Amino acid sequence: MPGGAPAGGWTMYPPLVLQTGDAFPYLIFAIHFMGASSIAGAINIIATVFNMRAPGMTLMKLPLFVWTWIITAFLLIASIPVLAGAVTMLLTDKFFGTAFFSAAGGGDPVMFQHIFWFFGHPEVYILILPAFGIVSAIIPTFARKPLFGYGSMVYATGAIAFLSFIVWAHHMFTVGMPLAGELFFMYTTVLIAVPTGVKIFNWIATMWRGSMTFETPMLFALAFVVLFTIGGFSGLMLGVTPVDFQYHDTYFVVAHFHYVLVTGAVFALMAGAYFWLPKWTGHMYNETLGKWHFWLSTISVNVLFFPQHFLGLAGMPRRIPDYAVQFSDFNMVSSIGGFVYGASQILFVVVVVKCARGGEKATDEVWEGAQGLEWTLPSPPPFHSFTEAPDPSSITGGNR
Amino acid sequence: MSNSELKRANRKTAIKLVLATTTMFFFGYALIPLYDVFCEVTGLNGKTGRLSSQEVAQMSLDESRLVEVEFVASVGADLPWEFYPLVAKISVVPGAETQVDFMVVNNAQYAVTGNAVPSVAPNEAAKYFSKTECFCFTKQSLKAGESRKMPVRFVVDPDIPRGVSLLTLGYTFFEALDTAGLYPPEHTYIN
């Protein structure tokens, strides 16, 4: 397409993005299309949970994975339309003579950043909340104890969702905000550590004196707790305005969001895949290969992203095509980690394919400590399940 | 819940959520005026006030001190103009109306319309800086090769915090949006 790919990164900041060639209207169309599908999915989930629960399944008996999904769905409904508005403004700025983000017409390019991050921060919690739900299902199973503090988990998720709407400007501390703004966004950002800390505490308390075993899903869930917490701590550092002026747009930010989104969201996806794979396929996966996959991934992902903290602190900026030579060694270490991490995922594909094709037959319960309705069905579940509502007495609630 | 009841409940939920989606779409647009109101109330974002000469005449003078005002002029990309202040810096008595002049020259071989966007630094001083007359209030059209001396009359509010002793008034001239793109992409200059 003449003019190449969209100018500017995923954040689509004007005026740069307005220099995109013929791809520009397609970019806006794609964002709208993606947003519409996210919203349709979110409406589906909320209607299902609110109107179609089994008898006896009260809201406070829902598995935490379902709770995190409802809250995620509400975040989608509240944030995606704001992004839709922002990209529509870009479209009219480019083609219809409006000047929302053009200083020449009395607009303000920084305004786009405000609107974008009003969407963008809830969006990162959309990515992580379901991960919290998966981990909250796995840890009690392999610790053979009920989830500690179920109610506080639900309220902490709600609090994180609420706070996500009033912290957006911590992505743009350096745009020249007034002191009052810097302080407000710093305090609200640091406040997120409280509900997140409640969750981490609850996961650890769930394991306390549990009879734990360390199958692959549990290993990924444990790595999630440790590594996501590291990402959370570097997030706290970035949330403190005066030091953010130093870290802004450096590799420290890159290290931070990869710890929360790769060792956070992606590791929870892996944990969830191993956890439910026997239920989906009817076969146990190969535990030895699963453990190899876990250890290779966990070691290499740290080799990949940990040095990026040091690169950022030493001043290596993000989004540059080339870097100063003093950063070469750490970048080399990081690249080796990257290739090993990438290659390790081939193992995951092997595990999934092998598991889908055969293997030891999975029982209905699959895991000794598994609780919840899906484990009462055969593995794999028949095409039509729960044609009659499950017995209300079988719904114990509290993810237990 | 019977089947028809369930259908009704689902439809109701879906309608409510679609309404919420629509509301949030327009809320995104509402952020723009909200942001402007916020800037006006707080004087942030360097947006300056506008006063009439009568209002300025009623202002008390604070002759106990002087505030320095610096002038910065720049031209946006694609505008073939020269633009500069005739004085770089001036000391004013808070409360007294002062006039300075800017010079603008159109180097193109055709007429161009531009408008100037002002900004005041530091941000917290912007609400104490008001203009009674400014070339930025209207668009400026210059014929080929034309030059123009343009006045700005302004006043610094005597309530300005004592800590602020230096203000910078900056202008950027942009090609007016409704005429932008009407000219050849490669501008031809007289010299």
Side-chain angles (χ1 to χ4, degrees):
Chain A
M1 200 169 280
W10 78 281
T11 53
M12 302 175 290
Y13 284 174
L16 184 59
V17 76
L18 296 176
Q19 295 174 15
T20 305
D22 290 357
F24 187 75
Y26 293 89
L27 167 71
I28 306 299
F29 174 73
I31 302 263
H32 277 307
F33 213 63
M34 209 158 56
S37 79
S38 293
I39 289 165
I43 291 174
N44 187 326
I45 282 165
I46 294 173
T48 306
V49 175
F50 279 7
N51 301 335
M52 304 174 79
R53 293 191 308 278
M57 181 65 87
T58 60
L59 282 178
M60 289 310 272
K61 280 185 177 173
L62 291 177
L64 213 74
F65 186 39
V66 178
W67 256 117
T68 53
W69 252 111
I70 314 176
I71 293 171
T72 301
F74 276 110
L75 285 181
L76 281 164
I77 282 175
S79 68
I80 297 280
V82 176
L83 175 70
V87 298
T88 307
M89 290 178 214
L90 285 177
L91 189 78
T92 56
D93 269 15
K94 171 116 174 150
F95 295 112
F96 301 103
T98 60
F100 287 107
F101 308 126
S102 154
D108 186 348
V110 173
M111 185 71 216
F112 180 84
Q113 300 190 21
H114 280 287
I115 304 177
F116 180 84
W117 287 111
F118 185 87
F119 145 81
H121 203 76
E123 169 62 27
V124 298
Y125 291 151
I126 286 164
L127 298 175
I128 201 67
L129 290 185
F132 288 170
I134 293 173
V135 169
S136 301
I138 292 173
I139 290 180
T141 302
F142 294 96
R144 293 167 180 77
K145 272 180 66 194
L147 184 69
F148 184 88
Y150 172 87
S152 69
M153 281 305 222
V154 173
Y155 290 118
T157 312
I160 291 172
F162 168 74
L163 287 172
S164 75
F165 283 102
I166 55 167
V167 297
W168 74 88
H170 68 211
H171 294 271
M172 38 190 288
F173 274 143
T174 58
V175 295
M177 267 190 295
L179 186 62
E182 307 269 14
L183 284 174
F184 174 81
F185 288 110
M186 174 170 81
Y187 291 144
T188 49
T189 301
V190 173
L191 201 59
I192 299 173
V194 177
T196 312
V198 166
K199 286 182 158 292
I200 308 267
F201 178 88
N202 285 347
W203 288 323
I204 294 170
T206 304
M207 290 184 271
W208 179 251
R209 295 191 170 175
S211 40
M212 293 208 285
T213 51
F214 300 94
E215 287 87 342
T216 311
M218 182 62 160
L219 289 175
F220 271 107
L222 290 175
F224 168 92
V225 174
V226 174
L227 299 175
F228 178 81
T229 305
I230 292 177
F233 279 140
S234 59
L236 267 181
M237 292 167 72
L238 288 164
V240 178
T241 314
V243 293
D244 180 76
F245 272 66
Q246 171 79 20
Y247 305 152
H248 186 87
D249 258 348
T250 68
Y251 254 66
F252 193 79
V253 180
V254 179
H256 157 71
F257 70 72
H258 281 97
Y259 265 86
V260 287
L261 291 182
V262 176
T263 62
V266 173
F267 266 42
L269 285 178
M270 294 293 177
Y274 281 105
F275 188 52
W276 282 296
L277 204 50
K279 178 56 68 185
W280 294 333
T281 62
H283 307 290
M284 295 308 282
Y285 60 86
N286 184 322
E287 189 64 48
T288 314
L289 282 183
K291 286 212 165 79
W292 270 99
H293 173 224
F294 167 76
W295 285 109
L296 281 171
S297 296
T298 303
I299 293 167
S300 61
V301 83
N302 282 289
V303 175
L304 166 55
F305 293 122
F306 211 83
Q308 297 183 355
H309 288 114
F310 306 132
L311 285 168
L313 294 178
M316 179 174 157
R318 299 170 69 176
R319 295 178 174 144
I320 48 162
D322 200 358
Y323 47 78
V325 283
Q326 71 266 30
F327 301 129
S328 306
D329 291 347
F330 271 136
N331 271 294
M332 178 56 106
V333 172
S334 187
S335 296
I336 292 168
F339 281 108
V340 177
Y341 182 68
S344 317
Q345 304 321 305
I346 297 169
L347 258 184
F348 179 62
V349 178
V350 171
V351 170
V352 173
V353 171
K354 270 175 66 99
C355 182
R357 293 177 132 199
E360 190 197 328
K361 193 89 194 72
T363 61
D364 293 1
E365 206 190 15
V366 181
W367 310 109
E368 187 190 47
Q371 299 288 328
L373 290 176
E374 74 266 39
W375 309 108
T376 63
L377 292 171
S379 305
F383 288 122
H384 297 283
S385 56
F386 294 120
T387 44
E388 273 174 47
D391 179 11
S393 65
S394 69
I395 298 169
T396 44
N399 208 24
R400 201 51 194 168
Chain B
M1 225 188 288
S2 76
N3 240 350
S4 64
E5 269 180 288
L6 180 64
K7 259 194 179 151
R8 210 167 327 121
N10 279 346
R11 183 168 307 137
K12 239 172 105 181
T13 311
I15 288 171
K16 275 188 211 158
L17 294 174
V18 169
L19 278 179
T21 305
T22 320
T23 311
M24 286 312 291
F25 181 78
F26 288 108
F27 177 74
Y29 276 84
L31 282 172
I32 306 243
L34 287 174
Y35 185 74
D36 277 345
V37 168
F38 184 78
C39 287
E40 218 162 280
V41 171
T42 55
L44 303 172
N45 205 24
K47 295 206 173 168
T48 57
R50 186 172 172 175
L51 291 175
S52 68
S53 290
Q54 289 90 320
E55 285 170 301
V56 172
Q58 286 162 8
M59 245 181 212
S60 60
L61 295 182
D62 179 3
E63 289 182 35
S64 67
R65 62 173 172 153
L66 289 172
V67 174
E68 275 188 308
V69 182
E70 275 183 338
F71 304 100
V72 177
S74 55
V75 176
D78 299 336
L79 187 64
W81 286 11
E82 255 174 76
F83 175 45
Y84 51 91
L86 290 181
V87 282
K89 198 189 238 183
I90 192 170
S91 289
V92 299
V93 173
E97 198 175 354
T98 310
Q99 175 169 335
V100 292
D101 293 306
F102 283 68
M103 201 63 196
V104 64
V105 184
N106 180 9
N107 285 333
Q109 287 177 334
Y110 44 82
V112 180
T113 302
N115 61 325
V117 177
S119 124
V120 168
N123 276 332
E124 59 266 38
K127 65 175 166 184
Y128 300 102
F129 187 92
S130 304
K131 284 165 293 192
T132 54
E133 196 193 324
C134 178
F135 55 88
C136 59
F137 293 165
T138 54
K139 283 178 189 162
Q140 303 289 329
S141 293
L142 270 74
K143 291 200 243 351
E146 187 185 349
S147 60
R148 184 177 296 164
K149 194 159 96 174
M150 303 178 302
V152 180
R153 294 178 71 79
F154 65 89
V155 63
V156 175
D157 194 307
D159 293 334
I160 189 164
R162 289 220 151 246
V164 183
S165 56
L166 175 69
L167 286 174
T168 306
L169 172 63
Y171 284 104
T172 307
F173 248 113
F174 292 99
E175 191 162 350
L177 277 193
D178 44 357
T179 61
L182 293 179
Y183 310 106
E186 273 156 52
H187 294 297
T188 31
Y189 294 87
I190 286 171
N191 296 327

